[in-house]
Amino acid sequence: MDRIEESVSAWPANGLPATLADRTRRVYDRMAAVYPVSTMLFHSRAHRCALEASGIADGMRVLEVATGSGEMFRRLVKANASGSTIGVDLSPNMAARTQRTARRKFPQSRTHCQAVDARHMPFRSEAFDAVFCCYMLELLSTEDIGRALREFRRVLRPEGRLTLVLIGQNTALFNAAYKLGGRVAPAFWGRQVERSVPQLIESARFQILDDRTVQQTFYPSRVLVAGR
Ligand SMILES: C[S@@+](CC[C@H](N)C(=O)[O-])C[C@H]1O[C@@H](n2cnc3c(N)ncnc32)[C@H](O)[C@@H]1O
């Protein structure tokens, strides 16, 4: 193979050069079956806290962005039994798994999940009462975090609430381990952004209403609730 053939064969099938988002989608697609273990061990306490802090009530139109394998999504569906709960994830396998398990456990509820990129979402403006996004911003560049936050604002109704969960940066040893993980597998770990996100939230014209920290074993999280 010559140099051109070699570089073209490294591109994904759609012919575009590989981007970090392509690699993130691929790696999370492969992790879909085993990801629930990691969520249970490290994210479940923060998910519970986010649900409580968000102020969601039954009957709302709720969007979860980056559902992963659907653990938070099922909490949302349960809390919003007579409303509608929509989930999106960049990884088609994650979205499919979330949809399958939610429909099996809550067959009467109005739920729908699909593969969507948070940076450009196919929803009309002001379509949702609440938007949730847990542990995704770490996987985006600063510019893309701004894009995603603007999308969250666009799809939220004026009195709607945005609930974010971020990986905490308050433990030096954990930060060092995370930095290493991020160097080895950036598409999977990303980088910690907890300290910079509050300012980005405010630049996207949100106002922070609640701010909590949670620790699950050695894994720190920060839960932020913001209003438009
Ligand atoms: C660390 S996992 C978190 C999953 C879940 N929210 C949780 O709390 O356990 C990050 C998820 O974000 C998704 N993701 C990454 N970039 C995304 C994007 N641009 N749009 C939508 N989802 C994205 C990944 O596919 C993955 O499922």
Side-chain angles (χ1 to χ4, degrees), residues 54-201:
S54 69
I56 72 157
D58 193 8
M60 284 184 167
R61 289 164 302 161
V62 174
L63 171 67
E64 189 192 3
V65 179
T67 58
S69 41
E71 290 68 26
M72 180 67 177
F73 189 75
R74 291 194 292 281
R75 287 180 198 273
L76 294 172
V77 176
K78 194 171 173 192
N80 189 33
S82 60
S84 56
T85 313
I86 309 298
V88 299
D89 197 283
L90 184 66
S91 148
N93 286 352
M94 288 291 200
R97 187 186 172 90
T98 300
Q99 164 110 319
R100 208 168 46 240
T101 48
R103 290 224 170 135
R104 197 177 60 230
K105 293 199 173 176
F106 304 99
Q108 312 297 340
S109 295
R110 268 181 293 156
T111 63
H112 180 71
C113 297
Q114 65 187 87
V116 163
D117 189 327
R119 296 170 297 177
H120 313 278
M121 297 197 285
F123 304 116
R124 66 176 167 78
S125 299
E126 303 185 6
F128 295 99
D129 300 302
V131 173
F132 287 78
C133 180
C134 311
Y135 306 108
M136 182 199 78
L137 298 182
E138 286 77 9
L139 298 166
L140 304 184
S141 67
T142 304
E143 200 183 351
D144 283 341
I145 293 176
R147 267 193 198 116
L149 290 172
R150 287 193 293 279
E151 274 296 81
F152 298 166
R153 189 173 198 283
R154 183 185 67 76
V155 301
L156 262 178
R157 70 172 173 82
E159 298 76 29
R161 292 280 183 271
L162 168 66
T163 304
L164 292 175
V165 182
L166 303 160
I167 296 168
Q169 271 180 288
N170 51 341
T171 318
L173 199 61
F174 180 84
N175 293 351
Y178 205 91
K179 209 169 189 174
L180 188 67
R183 270 203 208 117
V184 175
F188 181 71
W189 293 105
R191 74 211 194 291
Q192 289 166 291
V193 293
E194 180 240 300
R195 287 195 189 130
S196 54
V197 162
Q199 203 185 337
L200 296 171
I201 293 176

